[in-house]
Amino acid sequence: MINASNSSARPMPMPTGTLPQADTTTAGATALTQPQIAARLDRLPVSRFHITVLVVAALSLFFDTLDTVITGFVLATLGPLWGFSAATIGVVSAIGLAGYLVGSALAGFAADRYGRKRMIMLTLVLYSLFSASRGLVNDIWSFAALNFLTWMFVGAESSIVPPYLAELWPTRVRGKLGGWMMGFFALGIAFSPVWALNIIPGLGWRAALFLTLPFAIVVGLMRSGLPESPRWLLGKGRTAEAEAALASIEQRAGRPFDPRLEGVDGSGHDAQGEPATKYTARDLLNPRYRKVTLMMWTAWFAEYGVLYTFMTFVPTLLAMEGYTIVKSFQFSIAIYASVIPGYVLGGYVVDWLDRKPTAVIAFIGTAVFGTLFGLSTSSTALMAFGGLTAFFLALGSTAIYSYTPELYPTEIRATGMGLASAWGRAGAIILLLVFGVFAVLKGKLFVFLVSDVVLLVAAVVIARVGPSTKGRSLEDVSR
């Protein structure tokens, strides 16, 4: 950590109440480096700037999750109206998640090439338009086609936001702020049954889709004031823009940088003297990163394979137990609300325990309580074990969302995140099809036993391969 007290050369005293202003001429005299950016961002106090960026950027995750879960309620409503079964719901959801997979995979490449902010803005606009357009269709396969396009841009957006925010936050609070970011996922999941219960019975399923559009547009307008990542700008050789973005962040955080007061290493080398290296997407599978890449693909496959199938099929599974659609929506509120403490507390847990053990505990907990949910028949047991399953799913999601961007260098951080996210949706596609078919043939317990195997394999892989990232800068971890 850089500290003004370590500087041997001190300027003349300044008048009381005057903040030192950044001397961009002096700062520009030495080549800006990624370790410098890390040190300058790490020295900043958590300020209104960080909270504003968190809220504005993470609101996209709220709408992404709200849309995804509401789709499950809409499909549960359309089943009896349009005459299709749980197996068809699985197929339609799998088609949507295929779009999510494509969007996640491509978005990382685009964000690493064209910038985090630009792609976040573009994906929100396109997601909003396609999402609302689903309310215009009159058959399930037209709905499925538009759902593919909607979720393609949902997947793109949710894969870009975490690397973007990780590149702006101080190391010491990256996990905690990551938990609050994931809290917006929780709000989307918890709010979706409330939204469905209050809109679908009275205004219809079309209104539930139309009414998300105005909110998404407002968030898009708010995002226009966000800065681009200085780390990404520097990685593209846009040093002057990186310095300007960094100085703007420091100013907004209330601690402008002055090299006369704070020493910087302008050597162009990292903290251990290793020359800077340029990485490309193929490096994700080179010997240096192969193990962690395959580990994260396994973790995402398990986590989001189970999470999306669970969240999509909860209303349908409850209806299969004999509850009415309205009653299943009410039960779903109690179950989905459990993700709020799972996501928010998860940020504190990953900083306390570290990302690796948190993910292992979460996967084991999901397997145990998912099985108990599958065994449950009473309403009390369904809500209790369903809520605990949702809690551990949220904890696991927070862990891997925090973990993944930390493992790769800036040049391929979004690509690594996007491809890992794509594997999560591949898992969801496969398990959705399993749930849709076997929920009818074998009952809900059987499909949870299948998901248990996937979760426990992922837990073992993380335990054996995963590195520690607790308290380490992005540059240190990726090295």
Side-chain angles (χ1 to χ4, degrees):
M1 182 66 67
I2 296 170
N3 191 296
S5 63
N6 294 332
S7 177
S8 59
R10 299 188 179 278
M12 296 296 292
M14 301 180 68
T16 303
T18 302
L19 285 173
Q21 298 299 308
D23 184 343
T24 56
T25 301
T26 305
T30 58
L32 189 66
T33 66
Q34 294 290 3
Q36 273 187 17
I37 292 176
R40 287 173 62 175
L41 291 175
D42 282 352
R43 62 187 261 285
L44 298 178
V46 177
S47 65
R48 185 175 180 179
F49 162 76
H50 295 95
I51 303 304
T52 299
V53 171
L54 168 64
V55 171
V56 174
L59 273 173
S60 63
L61 305 183
F62 170 82
F63 287 108
D64 292 349
T65 314
L66 177 70
D67 183 281
T68 303
V69 182
I70 282 179
T71 300
F73 288 105
V74 169
L75 290 172
T77 303
L78 290 178
L81 290 178
W82 289 358
F84 56 81
S85 66
T88 302
I89 292 177
V91 172
V92 172
S93 298
I95 291 172
L97 283 166
Y100 208 128
L101 186 157
V102 172
S104 297
L106 296 180
F109 291 98
D112 279 336
R113 180 169 183 177
Y114 299 110
R116 281 61 163 138
K117 177 181 175 180
R118 180 182 297 181
M119 295 310 300
I120 288 173
M121 294 291 293
L122 177 64
T123 53
L124 177 65
V125 171
L126 294 175
Y127 144 68
S128 304
L129 294 176
F130 284 116
S131 177
S133 69
R134 292 175 301 172
L136 301 174
V137 303
N138 294 301
D139 67 275
I140 188 59
W141 301 115
S142 296
F143 185 97
L146 289 172
N147 206 45
F148 175 91
L149 295 170
T150 300
W151 284 12
M152 182 170 74
F153 292 106
V154 168
E157 187 171 38
S158 63
S159 298
I160 301 169
V161 170
Y164 171 71
L165 294 179
E167 291 177 355
L168 295 180
W169 286 334
T171 297
R172 67 187 181 279
V173 293
R174 198 168 58 229
K176 294 182 181 68
L177 290 177
W180 284 104
M181 174 190 73
M182 299 304 295
F184 285 81
F185 268 118
L187 289 175
I189 292 172
F191 189 64
S192 57
V194 178
W195 185 282
L197 188 61
N198 284 279
I199 294 177
I200 293 177
L203 300 178
W205 64 271
R206 298 180 194 273
L209 299 175
F210 289 149
L211 291 176
T212 61
L213 180 60
F215 297 104
I217 291 173
V218 170
V219 174
L221 293 174
M222 293 168 65
R223 281 191 195 168
S224 61
L226 297 182
E228 181 54 274
S229 164
R231 283 176 159 112
W232 178 82
L233 289 167
L234 183 62
K236 288 299 178 182
R238 295 158 62 174
T239 306
E241 293 175 70
E243 176 63 52
L246 187 56
S248 173
I249 291 170
E250 291 166 331
Q251 188 74 39
R252 291 164 70 177
R255 191 172 173 185
F257 176 73
D258 189 337
R260 297 169 300 177
L261 300 178
E262 303 180 73
V264 294
D265 173 18
S267 66
H269 291 64
D270 67 21
Q272 296 182 3
E274 181 180 336
T277 303
K278 292 293 183 181
Y279 295 95
T280 63
R282 69 181 62 184
D283 290 311
L284 292 171
L285 291 175
N286 73 13
R288 187 171 191 171
Y289 293 106
R290 184 183 301 132
K291 285 186 177 180
V292 294
T293 295
L294 295 177
M295 174 197 71
M296 293 316 305
W297 289 0
T298 303
W300 279 81
F301 184 96
E303 168 67 24
Y304 281 90
V306 177
L307 186 147
Y308 273 97
T309 49
F310 180 75
M311 295 301 178
T312 298
F313 273 102
V314 160
T316 302
L317 291 173
L318 292 171
M320 289 172 62
E321 293 292 319
Y323 299 103
T324 65
I325 285 292
V326 171
K327 194 70 174 177
S328 74
F329 283 11
Q330 291 172 338
F331 282 2
S332 299
I333 294 173
I335 292 172
Y336 291 172
S338 302
V339 301
I340 297 178
Y343 279 126
V344 175
L345 291 177
Y348 293 86
V349 174
V350 296
D351 266 356
W352 173 51
L353 283 180
D354 202 1
R355 286 64 162 154
K356 174 180 175 175
T358 303
V360 171
I361 291 169
F363 284 12
I364 294 173
T366 300
V368 170
F369 290 109
T371 301
L372 292 173
F373 177 77
L375 289 167
S376 301
T377 54
S378 70
S379 59
T380 301
L382 284 166
M383 286 190 289
F385 293 127
L388 285 167
T389 303
F391 174 86
F392 280 99
L393 280 168
L395 187 64
S397 186
T398 301
I400 66 172
Y401 255 94
S402 299
Y403 207 12
T404 311
E406 297 174 336
L407 298 176
Y408 301 110
T410 299
E411 293 89 347
I412 56 173
R413 182 167 291 123
T415 300
M417 180 76 186
L419 291 176
S421 179
W423 275 96
R425 278 64 202 187
I429 292 168
I430 292 171
L431 290 186
L432 273 169
L433 295 175
V434 170
F435 268 62
V437 173
F438 288 101
V440 175
L441 298 179
K442 300 288 186 178
K444 69 181 190 300
L445 174 61
F446 180 83
V447 291
F448 281 104
L449 293 177
V450 171
S451 67
D452 287 350
V453 175
V454 177
L455 288 164
L456 294 176
V457 167
V460 170
V461 171
I462 295 170
R464 289 182 60 86
V465 177
S468 171
T469 64
K470 181 179 179 180
R472 300 169 65 189
S473 72
L474 296 179
E475 287 69 27
D476 180 35
V477 174
S478 64
R479 180 174 57 243

